[in-house]
């Protein structure tokens, strides 16, 4: 992995059978990176299409370093003052923050520690969201 490549992302996802992405966008005051309503036809990576089973809204911050706390703070700031009440929106059935980090084999051999201070995740917790962490090991 070169220095110019991103090392991961911090993203937030909301799902729901009746989720209206436009309502989420208006409520939070920020445009998502991706969104759709249930039943919408979507293009898949293999060029096939599929109908979405649920609505979805997501916003991501790329990690260019391993400073997850900084990216998490940027994401929360981008979500605005209404973020703590987001799960009260009609149509949102679930939401979570996904932290994805890609490390080298050398980093994994030494063990990899991802530390999230209480202050870093307190706003996520206050909004009632879970945090999911995925660590991927690159081939050398």
């Amino acid at each position: 992995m070169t220095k110019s490549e991103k090392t991961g992302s911090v993203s937030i996802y909301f799902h729901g059978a009746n989720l209206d992405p436009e309502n989420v966008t208006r409520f939070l005051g920020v445009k998502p990176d991706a969104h759709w309503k249930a039943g919408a036809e979507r293009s898949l990576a293999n060029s096939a299409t599929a109908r979405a089973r649920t609505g979805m809204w997501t916003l991501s911050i790329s990690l260019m370093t391993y400073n997850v706390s900084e990216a998490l703070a940027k994401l929360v700031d981008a979500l605005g003052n209404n973020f703590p009440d987001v799960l009260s929106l009609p149509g949102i059935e679930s939401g979570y923050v996904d932290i994805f980090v890609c490390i080298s084999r050398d980093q994994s051999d030494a063990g990899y520690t991802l530390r999230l201070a209480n202050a870093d995740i307190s706003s996520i917790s206050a909004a009632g969201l879970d945090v999911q962490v995925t660590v991927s090991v690159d081939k050398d």
Side-chain angles (χ1 to χ4, degrees), residues 11 22 25 31 55 88 122-123 129 137-138 140:
S11 307
E22 295 303 318
T25 299
K31 292 186 180 195
S88 69
S122 63
S123 58
L129 303 178
V137 179
D138 262 356
D140 289 332

Side-chain angles (χ1 to χ4, degrees), residues 1 5-9 63 66 68 98-109 111-114 132-140:
M1 182 177 349
E5 293 177 329
K6 71 179 189 174
T7 58
S9 61
L63 287 173
Y66 291 103
V68 173
D98 179 59
I99 298 170
F100 172 74
V101 179
C102 190
I103 63 173
S104 70
R105 188 164 309 283
D106 289 342
Q107 286 171 304
S108 72
D109 288 345
Y112 181 75
T113 301
L114 175 66
Q132 169 180 300
V133 178
T134 304
V135 178
S136 175
V137 179
D138 262 356
K139 295 183 269 182
D140 289 332

